């Protein structure tokens, strides 16, 4: 038999027996970040294509969620830091090789913009709460005039926001579960999908619901394809990757992964949306909520399972 | 349940935290200084270094204690010129800092009282405690004679108390390190060569070509210079042959590992002798010139062939022959290592004799790469009156064992039990520097003896289990906080080292010399302690030796030239050994005259019955027996022992690594605590193995309490060596219990 | 750094020495001992190794640090500047050897090759305390240094080379 053990009594908190550095705050942020990325992407794209009048939910109502999501996400991230008082160091340098640095800077820019975006729709969204100060009214008018420019900035930024967390995880070659290039696009597609689902939830007119239903369906199919791609890649990989795959496919996380993420989070909503498109009436909230839950659980599974996989011992 | 006069007091939360530990600000609040950038970078700090020698084990490596500006001990580094450590301390020495910082240390003197029907300890002042102790000394002397007050000791504190006891009139002194540890090998080698092996062993490992370890696990025991020299031997390409039923660390570095069946070592050695003699591989000149009894030896071993040994030891005959030839090929640079803890099965002196004989056949004693002639320098004795002559002493107690050259602890303890045949009653006892509840087996006997004694005083640094039996507990400060006698140990060349306190004693603890002096003065023996501070003694002694405390403070270790002759034998000279015949006695007339086997014989020892496994124990390099289990730095490395179980056994019993089990031995003694299982191929299927020194049952040891099993608890059957009274402890068999046997019992 | 596994006895002196030298809190360690046992009784192999941060040439922990607190010096030593570290934990996730940990003070800590001792011309604490003298430290870029000579003359390996980090701690086997 083979034994591998620590002789010197190593039992570092949060490192042994398996890594437990990132907990729920990170998973929550990944979800909220992806959600905000998706929402802002669609808001920007619709505005850029000049169709903002036709799809008010995408640009207005759903867009309220973005700053809230971003703020909550940032709070979660800040909460997770162990050396909190030094967080400002993030903004004293840009490290091109560190996806986390990109993310920090992108967040720094996109969060105020998302607030400004909502600000620009203020009078439409909150007609009962008039703005008191003149300069705020002028700000709102200014923003309304420059909405298209904001949209142009938002599109690339939101794509980076959606994809960088995946790239961040995939750059950790020490965690076999994360170390594949699919993760970036997968997170982006998942984020867009959750964004579309939110828009469906908050949409008021049927045309918008149907469009985003179709978009969501396409995104779900792409996402399923990417997940299959990821699993096949791990199946063909080295021993540590096989073990990582085992966690998802035949281990502790199988129920969560297959149950909540794949079946309930992807396949069932896809079927529901397909049947909706064919013509049957289905309360549209169900697939949307399932997608959202699936997205959240997916992030949890990836963060928790990924930290269990390791190269040595 | 009979109420015993002396109830073992499990010192739990007695509220003895009266003396708040004044830990330095760094320790307590350093963690919160967000703005203190320089804490990590020690560049700005300057350190003061004080010479000392380590007391964590008996190797006594000289070291430098580094203290920072605030007087906190930062680290302990070995002295480069010290032949014990060559500048590299072992993990216990490096972790000696933890001995000082351990908050569980004994802080004040304690006196046993009965409160609300329960026996417990109360804190007392030193004056009160010392007055009580002195009054008991006087009382015992008046009523029974000073001889009835015994001392069980170990290490530096022991030497101060030995002086006190001898001045008081008692030589009823023993240390477990003799009969429970290396006594048998000293007796065996003394019978053969006329001198002890001693400590540190004079094995020339760094120059050897073949090192044979039979019953020695160098690398798991951390005999510093021996581990270092074994590393040198590996670099030099020396052959290492390990004989051990377990795959020890040394075995993993050996070219030959003979996985011997336990308790059959003598058979193997007899077979080796057979091969070496019959193939004429022995050192003919050496044997002719220096030994007596070769013919008897040759006749004796001629039937002990490797084939005969194969049936007993399960080692193949070709292996026996191959290893014997390798040993002989390396002669005289070969060492059959005498081991250290050799009290196994009761025939240990004979086994040591076999080792000594093998060494003599291969001509290694007194040769390069074998055993060198060690020498130490005598430290002049500080002037004191002559000791009174006691009416009886340890020699009388141990008269049954004529070869015993030191007190046998178990015999001394037995003398405490009233018995009409007991001519040497021990009525009171002092224990210093040893945790006898862990080192002495047969707990029942120990407890009975403790109960019968009128007074027990214990001096220790930690609230070890032995303090639970005491009437008075005296807290000694650690070696880092006191002066002690000059270390003069035997090595290739004589050297001395001093111990200078690096910091003031913590809490209300005091040095051993001060305790001895205080008791002595109260007994009117002030003349024996003609100094105010032990520093004066050291200064006087150093001056007489041609140096000074100032010089020693700068260098730490001083070497002296040899005066007793060269390190190794000169081929052209003759040597006389300190035996009766002046030669190495292969055939021992001394033993024959006393009625023992003059040449070693193999006797079969009991084997474990079905379902039982032999309990084997050993050491871990990061701990010293039970002394360091609570040391914060060392506890971090190893908190508890684990039970090594062979995979075949694990399969039969259905146990897995990490599972907790209890042990019950052949006398139905069950372990108090549980132990974690480690299923490993490294241990034989007929035995289990664990590291000694865990399973502490004193709650005051917050880190060590209830961690692992105390193997001594399960050693209820001992085999007494008839030659020198050693206690053989490897003959106990245990069965593994997967369910908690104490669940239904209210304690 | 070159470590001779044939001589290491796993005594863990390197662990304690590092602890006292670098004020590592109890419960944490910058280096540790691993034991690998292979085979079946009585044909067994045992390997003891002292492991720590490998100060990799292609260090993922330096790449992923968002503030630059984790940086590499010219001589190859990877260090963490405590007051630039935000405690995000990315470097810990990126290390295939699990050599980093969160110090109770909040920043990330790991073996520094006793950088402060090297500046004074001393060897790292672990190397200078090892009783079996199985640890060697020096300049691997210098072909005449002891460590380079050892690598030239003896079989050696590194840990998890497939992780692509180019670790600079070699084990002689």
């Amino acid at each position: 038999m083979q034994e591998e053990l620590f002789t010197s009594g190593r039992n570092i908190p949060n490192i042994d027996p398996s890594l437990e550095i990132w907990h729920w705050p990170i998973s929550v942020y990944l979800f909220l970040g992806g959600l905000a990325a998706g929402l802002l992407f669609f808001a920007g794209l619709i505005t850029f294509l000049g169709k903002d009048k036709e799809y008010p939910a995408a640009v207005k109502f759903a867009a309220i969620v973005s700053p809230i999501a971003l703020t909550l996400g940032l709070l979660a991230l800040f909460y997770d830091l162990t050396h909190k008082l030094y967080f400002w160091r993030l903004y004293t340098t840009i490290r091109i090789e560190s996806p986390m640095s990109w993310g920090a800077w992108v967040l720094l820019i996109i969060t105020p913009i998302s607030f400004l975006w909502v600000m620009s729709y203020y009078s439409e969204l909150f007609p009962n709460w008039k703005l008191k100060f003149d300069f705020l009214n002028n700000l709102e008018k200014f923003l309304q005039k420059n909405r298209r420019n904001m949209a142009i900035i938002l599109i690339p930024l939101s794509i980076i926001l959606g994809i960088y967390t995946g790239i961040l995880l995939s750059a950790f070659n020490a965690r076999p579960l994360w170390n594949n290039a699919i993760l970036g696009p997968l997170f982006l597609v998942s984020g867009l999908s959750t964004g579309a689902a939110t828009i469906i939830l908050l949409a008021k007119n049927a045309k918008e619901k149907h469009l985003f239903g179709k978009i969501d369906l396409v995104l779900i199919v792409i996402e399923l394809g990417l997940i299959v791609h990821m699993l096949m890649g791990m199946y063909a990989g080295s021993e540590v990757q096989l073990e990582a795959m085992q966690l998802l496919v035949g281990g502790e996380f199988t129920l969560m992964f297959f149950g909540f993420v794949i079946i309930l989070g992807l396949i069932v909503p896809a079927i529901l949306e397909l049947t909706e498109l064919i013509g049957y009436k289905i309360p549209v909230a169900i697939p949307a909520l399932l997608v959202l839950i699936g997205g959240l659980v997916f992030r949890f599974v990836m963060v928790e399972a990924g930290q269990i996989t390791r190269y040595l011992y | 349940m009979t109420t015993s006069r002396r109830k073992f007091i499990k010192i739990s939360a007695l509220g003895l935290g009266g003396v708040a530990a004044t830990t330095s600000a760094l320790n307590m609040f350093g963690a919160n200084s967000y703005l203190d950038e320089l804490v990590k970078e020690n560049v700005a700090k300057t350190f003061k270094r004080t010479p000392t020698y380590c007391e964590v084990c008996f190797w006594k490596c000289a070291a430098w204690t580094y203290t920072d500006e605030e007087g906190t001990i930062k680290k302990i580094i070995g002295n480069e010129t010290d032949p014990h450590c060559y500048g590299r301390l072992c993990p216990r020495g490096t972790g000696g800092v933890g001995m000082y910082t351990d908050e569980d240390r004994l802080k004040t003197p304690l006196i046993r009282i009965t409160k609300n029907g329960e026996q417990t300890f109360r804190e007392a002042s030193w004056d009160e405690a010392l007055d009580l102790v002195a009054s008991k000394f006087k009382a015992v002397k008046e009523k029974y004679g000073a001889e009835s007050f015994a001392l069980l000791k170990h290490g530096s504190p022991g030497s101060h108390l030995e002086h006190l006891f001898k001045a008081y009139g008692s030589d009823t002194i023993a240390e477990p390190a003799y009969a429970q540890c290396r006594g048998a090998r000293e007796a065996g080698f003394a019978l053969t060569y006329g001198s002890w092996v001693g400590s540190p062993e004079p094995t020339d490992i760094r120059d050897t070509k073949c090192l044979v370890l039979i019953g020695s696990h160098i690398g798991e025991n951390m005999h510093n210079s021996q581990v270092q020299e074994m590393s040198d031997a590996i670099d030099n390409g020396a052959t290492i042959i390990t004989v051990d039923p377990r795959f020890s660390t040394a075995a993993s570095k050996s070219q030959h590992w003979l996985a011997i069946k336990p308790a059959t070592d003598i058979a193997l050695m007899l077979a080796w002798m057979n091969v070496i003699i019959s193939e004429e591989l022995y050192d003919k000149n050496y044997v002719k010139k220096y030994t007596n009894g070769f013919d008897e030896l040759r006749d004796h071993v001629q039937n002990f062939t490797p084939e005969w040994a194969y049936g007993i030891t399960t080692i193949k005959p070709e292996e026996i022959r191959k290893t014997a030839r390798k040993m002989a090929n390396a002669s005289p640079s070969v060492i059959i290592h005498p081991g250290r803890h050799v009290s196994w099965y009761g025939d240990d002196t004979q086994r040591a004799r076999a080792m000594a004989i093998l060494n003599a056949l291969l001509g290694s004693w007194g040769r390069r790469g074998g055993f060198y002639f060690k020498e130490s320098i005598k430290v002049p004795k500080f002037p004191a009156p002559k000791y009174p002559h006691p009416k009886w002493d340890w020699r009388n107690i141990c008269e049954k064992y004529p070869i015993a050259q030191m007190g046998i602890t178990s015999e001394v303890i037995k003398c405490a039990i009233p018995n009409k045949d007991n001519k040497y009653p021990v009525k009171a006892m002092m224990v210093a520097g040893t945790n006898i509840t862990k080192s002495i087996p047969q707990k029942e006997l120990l407890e009975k003896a403790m109960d019968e004694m009128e007074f027990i005083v214990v001096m220790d640094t930690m609230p070890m289990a032995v303090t639970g039996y005491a009437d008075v507990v005296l807290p000694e400060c650690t070696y880092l906080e006191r002066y002690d006698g000059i270390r003069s140990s035997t090595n290739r060349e004589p050297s001395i080292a001093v111990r200078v306190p690096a910091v003031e004693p913590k809490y209300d603890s005091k040095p051993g010399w001060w305790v001895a002096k205080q008791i002595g003065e109260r007994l009117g023996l002030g003349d024996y302690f003609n100094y105010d501070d032990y520093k004066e003694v050291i200064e006087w002694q150093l001056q007489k030796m041609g140096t000074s405390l100032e010089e020693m403070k700068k260098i730490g270790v001083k070497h002296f030239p040899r005066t007793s002759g060269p390190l190794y034998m000169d081929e052209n000279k003759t040597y006389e050994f300190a035996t009766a015949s002046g030669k190495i006695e292969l055939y021992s007339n001394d033993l024959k005259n006393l009625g023992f086997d003059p040449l070693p014989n193999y006797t079969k020892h009991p084997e474990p019955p079905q379902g039982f496994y032999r309990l084997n124990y050993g050491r871990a390099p990061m701990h010293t027996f039970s002394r360091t289990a609570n040391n914060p730095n060392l506890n971090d490395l190893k908190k508890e022992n684990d039970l090594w179980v062979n995979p075949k056994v694990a399969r039969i019993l259905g146990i897995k690594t990490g599972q907790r089990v209890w042990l019950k031995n052949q006398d139905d003694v069950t372990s108090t605590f549980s132990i974690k299982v480690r299923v490993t191929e490294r241990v034989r299927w007929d035995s289990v193995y664990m590291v000694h020194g865990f399973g502490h049952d004193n709650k005051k040891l917050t880190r060590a309490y209830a961690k692992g099993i105390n193997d001594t608890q399960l050693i209820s059957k001992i085999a007494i060596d008839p030659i020198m009274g050693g206690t053989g402890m490897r003959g106990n068999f245990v069965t593994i219990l997967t369910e908690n046997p104490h669940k239904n019992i209210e304690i | 750094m070159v470590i001779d596994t044939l001589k290491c006895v796993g005594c863990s002196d390197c662990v304690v020495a590092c602890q006292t030298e670098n004020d590592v809190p109890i419960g944490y360690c910058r280096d540790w001992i691993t034991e690998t046992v292979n085979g079946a009784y009585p044909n067994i192999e045992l390997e003891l190794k002292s492991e720590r941060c490998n100060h990799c040439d292609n260090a993922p922990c330096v790449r992923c640090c968002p503030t630059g607190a984790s940086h590499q010096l010219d001589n190859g030593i990877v260090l963490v500047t405590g007051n630039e570290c935000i405690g995000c934990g990315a470097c810990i996730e990126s290390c295939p050897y699990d050599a980093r940990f969160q110090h109770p003070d909040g920043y990330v800590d790991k073996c520094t090759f006793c950088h402060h001792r090297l500046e004074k011309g001393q060897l790292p604490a672990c190397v200078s305390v090892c009783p079996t003298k199985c640890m060697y430290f020096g300049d691997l870029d210098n072909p005449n240094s002891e460590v380079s000579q050892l690598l030239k003359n003896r079989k050696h390996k590194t840990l998890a080379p497939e992780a692509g980090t180019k670790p600079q701690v070699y084990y002689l086997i």
Side-chain angles (χ1 to χ4, degrees), chain B residues 164-448:
Chain B
L164 168 69
F165 268 70
K166 286 195 173 148
Y168 164 71
S170 164
D171 199 8
T172 314
I173 302 176
E175 44 184 274
Y178 184 69
Q180 276 70 44
C181 189
R182 56 190 170 97
R185 85 162 183 202
E186 313 298 16
F189 273 70
L191 286 164
T192 317
Y193 294 102
S195 63
W196 282 19
V197 179
S199 171
E201 291 82 1
T203 43
D204 201 11
I205 300 179
R206 70 177 178 214
D207 281 327
T208 193
K209 297 209 186 72
C210 181
L211 175 64
V212 180
L213 298 170
I214 175 162
S216 169
H217 53 351
I218 299 184
E220 274 156 302
N221 72 27
M222 200 58 208
H223 298 167
N224 202 334
S225 41
Q226 302 219 341
V227 176
Q228 294 196 27
E229 293 195 15
M230 184 167 89
S231 188
D232 292 334
I234 294 176
D235 268 340
N236 293 336
T239 309
I240 304 182
I241 300 170
T242 304
V243 179
D244 197 323
R246 181 183 64 100
F247 192 66
S248 59
T249 307
S252 74
K253 301 198 186 305
S254 312
Q255 281 72 24
H256 297 271
W257 169 45
L258 302 178
I260 193 171
K261 180 164 165 195
T264 61
D265 313 77
I266 297 185
L268 174 66
M269 287 197 272
L270 291 171
W272 272 339
M273 287 183 219
N274 174 294
V275 175
I276 290 174
I277 292 180
S278 61
E279 294 186 16
E280 306 213 348
L281 301 168
Y282 57 94
D283 190 336
K284 298 199 177 69
N285 285 335
Y286 186 95
V287 167
K288 185 149 154 257
K289 211 165 154 190
Y290 296 115
T291 70
N292 252 353
F294 177 73
D295 295 320
E296 289 91 333
L297 177 67
R298 189 190 48 222
D299 292 336
H300 180 76
V301 300
Q302 71 184 2
N303 290 329
F304 298 136
T305 59
E307 283 73 21
W308 164 85
Y310 175 44
I312 296 173
T313 62
T314 73
I315 298 177
K316 298 206 175 68
E318 319 81 82
E319 273 297 299
I320 299 179
R321 290 199 168 86
K322 207 169 14 171
T323 45
R325 286 174 196 146
K326 275 242 169 94
M327 281 187 252
N329 206 19
S331 154
S333 303
V334 56
I335 302 173
I336 315 289
H337 198 284
R340 185 122 187 156
H341 175 93
V342 292
S343 43
W344 302 352
Y345 306 110
D347 58 355
D348 314 298
T349 314
Q350 294 289 7
R351 195 180 63 253
R353 281 264 303 141
M355 286 179 178
I357 292 172
L358 265 174
N359 276 310
L361 281 180
L362 296 169
S364 64
W365 188 270
R367 314 284 283 285
R368 177 178 290 274
F371 293 78
Y372 57 81
F373 289 132
K374 56 190 187 188
E375 187 183 323
S376 65
I377 188 167
K378 209 161 152 36
V379 177
K381 208 165 148 13
F382 193 75
K386 230 168 106 87
Y387 293 131
H389 194 76
K391 289 200 274 302
W392 48 268
D393 61 22
W394 63 265
R395 292 169 192 81
N396 301 87
I397 293 179
C398 308
E399 58 197 1
K400 258 198 305 189
Y401 308 104
I403 305 288
Q405 288 167 321
M406 269 182 86
I408 299 168
T409 326
S410 28
E411 291 300 317
V412 171
I413 292 175
K414 268 198 232 156
C415 287
I417 300 174
N419 183 343
K420 63 174 168 45
D421 295 324
N422 189 2
K423 290 185 276 182
Y424 313 114
V426 168
K427 292 293 176 191
M429 186 165 79
M430 181 159 188
V431 181
T434 169
N435 185 9
I436 49 179
T437 42
K438 283 267 183 326
S439 43
I440 308 291
Q442 294 188 304
K443 187 166 175 200
E444 271 183 48
L445 187 70
L446 185 64
E447 293 196 318
K448 192 157 187 289

Side-chain angles (χ1 to χ4, degrees), chain C residues 1-3 52-58 72 74-77 113 118 123 135-154 156-159 165-172:
Chain C
M1 186 180 277
V2 174
I3 300 179
R52 57 190 47 65
C53 164
N54 291 284
H55 297 269
C56 310
D57 265 354
N58 183 20
Q72 192 159 33
D74 286 333
N75 57 15
I77 296 183
F113 271 175
L118 295 176
L123 288 171
M135 297 175 70
Y136 307 89
F137 188 84
D139 187 359
L140 285 166
D141 288 329
N142 175 3
N144 295 323
S145 66
E146 190 184 19
V147 284
S148 305
Q149 291 292 319
L150 278 168
L151 292 184
K152 219 168 34 165
N153 296 329
R154 300 231 352 223
H156 56 270
K157 68 176 190 185
T158 56
L159 295 177
T165 51
K166 301 216 196 83
Q168 295 304 305
V169 174
Y170 295 85
Y171 293 93
L172 301 177

Side-chain angles (χ1 to χ4, degrees), chain A residues 1-5 7-8 10 15 22 81-83 86 89 95 97-98 172-175 307 310 313, chain C residues 32-33 35-39 51 63-64 66 82-83 85-88 93-96 98 100 102 106 163:
Chain A
M1 63 175 271
Q2 199 207 34
E3 276 180 281
E4 234 179 293
L5 50 129
T7 307
S8 61
R10 181 181 131 144
I15 311 274
W22 286 343
L81 290 181
T82 56
H83 215 202
Y86 291 85
R89 287 281 189 184
R95 321 252 331 148
E97 294 175 319
S98 166
F172 290 148
N173 53 352
R175 309 289 147 220
Q307 291 182 94
R310 61 209 295 188
Y313 328 123
Chain C
W32 58 92
I33 307 283
E35 178 182 327
T36 315
V37 183
N38 274 310
E51 299 184 8
R63 272 205 307 278
C64 74
N83 58 3
C85 172
I86 62 172
C88 69
E93 300 277 349
S94 72
C95 179
D98 290 333
R100 290 172 166 249
Q102 280 165 336

Side-chain angles (χ1 to χ4, degrees), chain A residues 92-103:
Chain A
T92 57
T93 172
I94 299 185
R95 321 252 331 148
I96 312 276
E97 294 175 319
S98 166
M100 197 175 278
S101 189
W102 313 337

Side-chain angles (χ1 to χ4, degrees), chain A residues 14-54:
Chain A
N14 295 332
I15 311 274
D16 301 306
S18 68
L19 222 53
E20 278 171 28
I21 301 286
W22 286 343
H23 301 282
W24 63 266
I26 300 295
S27 318
V28 164
Y29 162 71
L30 290 177
F31 171 71
L32 291 175
L35 178 66
L39 288 170
L40 289 172
F41 175 75
F42 285 121
L45 187 63
I46 300 287
T47 309
F48 181 74
L49 293 175
K51 302 241 171 89
D52 45 331
K53 292 288 180 278
E54 297 173 35

